[in-house]
Structure formats: structure tokens, C-alpha cells
Amino acid sequence: MLKCTFCSGKITLKESKRLGLGSMLLFSCKNNCAKQNPFPTCPTIAKLQNYSVNRRAALAMRCVGGSRAELQTFCGLMNIPPPVSKSTYQFLNQTLQKSTEKSQAESLTKAAKEEHNMNDNSDMADEGGVRDCDVSVDGSWMARRHSSNIGTTSAIGCVTGKILDTETHSKACKSCDYWEQKDKTSDGYKKWRDSHIATCSVTHQGSSGAMEADSAVTMFNRSVELHQLRYKRYIGDGDNNSFKKVHDSKPYGADCPVEKIECVGHVQKRMGTRLRNLKRDLKGKPLSDGKTIGGKGRLTDAQIDKKTTYYGNAIRGNKNNLEAMRKAIWAVYFHKQSSDTFAIHNLCNDEWCGYRKAEAAGTVKQYKHTNNLPVAIMDVIKPIFKSLSDNSLDKMFRRLHPECE
């Protein structure tokens, strides 16, 4: 359908060069009567002498947790050209790492400035403009059950809800794993050891669970230098070891101790965790009514999620009254235990309890209890309600964050 403008000959599309997923194409006349300028299939990166699609593919693999091997499999199944070589792929990853680190630094600095400005009503730490703020500290690991070799911890500003700082620790090094199996008396091993000390990726010694605590200490100690902020109050997730290490390190001196306050979300999560652990431990075992704990009409995951939500609502709705908070927690328990033959709603709130609403309307005889749990189930979960509403709730109440909704 195309013709040469000089000889009206047939025009063909040719690939003059290919690098990974990118190509350089040109239109060619069979008589070669005119020189054609090639054009790329995608934008090129002049400094890298590469096509942008290759860098984009490397970034895509990083985002989905894949590597060059997975990208190669994908290209083969899609019947498209293979990716770039291993050395080029590693170079692209290094370039992405530098760009990511730069973007991260800019994002953290911007978030810290917002947190600094939004805490302008707080007491100044000194004449240098250092301000106090509250941060939430939480860690995450590459693998579950605190057995991962890599863990990262973030400090999140309470006012902005943005990440102010991050710290990553690693217990693994591929190079160390390789060379430690070699002859340690050889010249090659000695040469590697001397040059590897500065580049070793191992930054943590000890258990994986301790990564969060060590990272928190590091972030607290550099907060003033980095952002002119003092993380005065530590919003914890129930991990007392992390707070204890931060408190004992005295990052802002003995005269300015770090305080701990509780996050309702993390306190609420304890109910769900306890109930799921109980369900797992009693799986297949008969209860007092001869039935197991799971199944239809029993302690299902949906029931656990509801109780967890109701427990959190009881805390949020009574954060200024400890006794009312305890009463609301037990109201959830007795409400779920109540039945048409044995109703216990004296602790319930008129706003959410259908039985109390029916009493007020004079229609209690027509009211039917639905979605309640058998007494056998309620008996085995009663210790959990007791544990999460006993005197330890008093300590949590005193440290409850006022804005943690």
C-alpha cells in the first residue's frame, strides 16, 4: 500500500537494530534510491544508550516482585523479543535504585516539612526551630513470622499521615554466602574479604524481630538532624520491645523522654488475633455442646471480624471514660450471647441494640434474636473478653492517642 516517492517501487519495513524489547525500524525501497532515516519503536534514553521500554520492563518486574527470569518467561509466552542481557538488566536496576533513592529523599523531606509546619502550635524544643510531633512506628518483613532476612521500618507523622523516615535492615549477603564456602586461606578469599567489608549488605545482627526496634532507634536519633523534628510521642503497635529500646536510648537527652501512646487500630486488632488463635487451637475439638468451634452458626471468620469491629467501636466511643469503655466491651459479649429465651441487654446502648429499640417501641415480644452465638462458643471466648477489658485496659486508656480514630 506504500510506494517510493522516487521510483514508485514497493516499500518494506525493516528492523535495523534491536536491543531487548526496543527496536530501530526503517522503511526501505527495493531499489535503494533514497536514504531512509530509522526511527525507534519507543523513546530512547540518550545517556543510557537504551530504550525506555527496557527500563520500564525492569521497573515492572521490581513492582510485581519478579526478576529477569520471570520477564524472560513472560516474553516467551507472549511471543515477543527476549529482554536485555543480564549485565544490562543489572545496570538498569542500579539506575532505578538511584532514581528511587532520590525520589524517596525528596518525598521524605517534603512530608517532614509539612509535619513541621502543621505542628507550629507545639512547644519549641530550642531556638533552632525544632518542633515536637507524634509518630507511628511499624515494621514489615519480606517473609512472615519474623523469619525474614530483610525488614523495613517506617515512621509516620500523626498529623499528616505521611512517612517521615524509613530504615531497612538485612541479615543476608549473597556474596558472603558464596565466598564463605570457599577456602578461607586462599588469596582469592583474602582479597575478596578486604574489598567486601565496605560493600557488605549485612546491616543487622540478631533476630529478625529485633529489626524493628533497632531501626526505630536509628530513626529517632537522626530526626532532629534530618527534619528538625523530635518524635516526642511514640504511637505503638503493641510491641513493647521497640518502644523500650527507643526510650532507653534517650535520643533527645535525659530531660526529654519519649512517651508511648496507643493506637486504637492496633488495640482493636488484638481481639481478632486472639479469636483466630483460639479457633486454630480448638479446631476439630468438641466443645461443651458436643460441636466444634467452627462451621455455620459458630465462630466463623465473619463473626470474628464483627467482634473485632465492635470492640474497636467500644474503645473509640468511650475514649474519655474508662468504665464506660469496659461496659461497652461487655455489652458486645452479652449482646452476642443473648437469645429469645435468655436475653441480656442491660449493658447495651439504645442507639445500636435492636432489642432495646424494640423495648422502647413496645414490640419486644415480636423481636427475634438473629446472628447470635451458642453459649458453648461464648464460654470459650469469655476469657478473651475478660483479658482485653481488665486492669491492663487502664494502662492503655491512659496512653490512648486523642486523635487516633
Side-chain angles (χ1 to χ4, degrees):
M1 298 178 66
L2 295 177
K3 290 185 178 181
C4 177
T5 58
F6 295 94
C7 67
S8 296
K10 185 179 180 180
I11 294 293
T12 59
L13 182 65
K14 293 183 178 180
E15 183 182 55
S16 63
K17 179 184 176 182
R18 184 180 65 82
L19 181 59
L21 302 177
S23 300
M24 192 68 71
L25 305 178
L26 59 83
F27 289 108
S28 175
C29 172
K30 65 177 182 179
N31 297 322
N32 294 322
C33 55
K35 182 179 180 181
Q36 301 292 334
N37 293 324
F39 59 93
T41 57
C42 66
T44 57
I45 307 171
K47 294 183 179 180
L48 300 180
Q49 296 181 351
N50 207 324
Y51 297 98
S52 62
V53 66
N54 293 323
R55 183 168 63 175
R56 196 181 300 274
L59 174 61
M61 288 297 104
R62 299 292 299 180
C63 292
V64 300
S67 63
R68 182 182 177 275
E70 284 75 16
L71 178 59
Q72 194 169 15
T73 302
F74 173 80
C75 292
L77 294 173
M78 293 296 294
N79 195 24
I80 58 178
V84 293
S85 63
K86 289 184 179 180
S87 58
T88 304
Y89 192 85
Q90 291 175 354
F91 175 74
L92 290 173
N93 272 332
Q94 293 172 0
T95 304
L96 289 171
Q97 180 181 358
K98 293 178 181 178
S99 300
T100 303
E101 290 174 348
K102 181 180 178 181
S103 298
Q104 180 198 28
E106 293 175 354
S107 176
L108 296 180
T109 301
K110 183 179 178 180
K113 287 182 179 179
E114 291 183 26
E115 189 76 24
H116 188 278
N117 295 334
M118 295 179 73
N119 280 278
D120 56 355
N121 293 326
S122 63
D123 296 335
M124 305 297 285
D126 53 36
E127 297 180 356
V130 180
R131 289 195 172 103
D132 297 338
C133 69
D134 305 340
V135 294
S136 174
V137 180
D138 202 4
S140 179
W141 290 263
M142 182 175 289
R144 293 175 177 243
R145 302 185 185 277
H146 290 187
S147 60
S148 174
N149 288 326
I150 299 176
T152 182
T153 305
S154 303
I156 305 173
C158 177
V159 179
T160 61
K162 297 182 178 180
I163 297 178
L164 307 179
D165 198 1
T166 63
E167 180 69 16
T168 301
H169 280 175
S170 172
K171 297 197 302 178
C173 177
K174 296 289 186 181
S175 183
C176 290
D177 294 341
Y178 173 80
W179 280 98
E180 289 300 328
Q181 300 177 5
K182 302 295 182 181
D183 183 9
K184 297 183 180 180
T185 61
S186 63
D187 294 337
Y189 177 84
K190 294 178 181 178
K191 183 179 179 180
W192 164 82
R193 184 187 60 189
D194 295 338
S195 61
H196 179 68
I197 295 177
T199 59
C200 184
S201 59
V202 176
T203 57
H204 178 78
Q205 300 291 337
S207 65
S208 299
M211 289 181 180
E212 179 179 340
D214 294 345
S215 298
V217 171
T218 301
M219 291 188 294
F220 272 71
N221 278 281
R222 67 188 180 199
S223 66
V224 175
E225 180 182 356
L226 281 180
H227 305 310
Q228 293 292 292
L229 287 171
R230 289 192 313 186
Y231 305 153
K232 188 66 181 299
R233 296 204 291 181
Y234 180 112
I235 305 176
D237 60 351
D239 188 352
N240 293 322
N241 293 330
S242 298
F243 169 72
K244 187 176 185 303
K245 279 195 174 183
V246 171
H247 183 270
D248 294 344
S249 68
K250 299 178 181 179
Y252 311 120
D255 297 334
C256 185
V258 178
E259 304 173 9
K260 183 180 180 182
I261 49 183
E262 296 288 350
C263 170
V264 176
H266 285 103
V267 175
Q268 171 182 329
K269 191 169 65 173
R270 297 173 190 171
M271 175 64 75
T273 301
R274 298 272 190 95
L275 291 175
R276 287 185 175 86
N277 291 340
L278 176 68
K279 183 179 178 181
R280 180 197 61 203
D281 296 339
L282 297 180
K283 183 178 180 180
K285 299 179 181 179
L287 302 183
S288 59
D289 58 357
K291 300 180 181 180
T292 59
I293 192 171
K296 185 177 180 180
R298 313 288 283 183
L299 189 63
T300 60
D301 291 340
Q303 286 284 357
I304 292 176
D305 292 340
K306 286 183 179 180
K307 286 178 177 56
T308 303
T309 301
Y310 297 157
Y311 177 73
N313 292 341
I315 296 175
R316 291 182 177 90
N318 302 277
K319 59 185 179 182
N320 296 321
N321 190 328
L322 179 59
E323 291 305 317
M325 187 184 298
R326 286 200 181 99
K327 177 182 176 182
I329 292 173
W330 280 109
V332 173
Y333 175 85
F334 290 112
H335 180 85
K336 295 300 294 184
Q337 186 179 8
S338 298
S339 62
D340 293 337
T341 58
F342 190 65
I344 313 175
H345 295 282
N346 55 308
L347 296 179
C348 293
N349 193 307
D350 296 344
E351 296 179 1
W352 55 264
C353 180
Y355 185 88
R356 295 292 292 269
K357 292 180 180 179
E359 278 186 329
T363 60
V364 70
K365 292 183 178 181
Q366 290 78 30
Y367 181 83
K368 298 293 182 183
H369 287 82
T370 59
N371 208 26
N372 58 320
L373 291 177
V375 177
I377 298 289
M378 301 306 297
D379 287 343
V380 295
I381 69 174
K382 187 174 183 179
I384 295 178
F385 273 82
K386 184 177 181 180
S387 174
L388 295 178
S389 61
D390 62 3
N391 293 332
S392 62
L393 193 66
D394 185 24
K395 298 178 181 179
M396 184 280 297
F397 176 79
R398 297 177 187 278
R399 299 194 303 263
L400 200 61
H401 193 270
E403 297 181 4
C404 195
E405 295 292 343

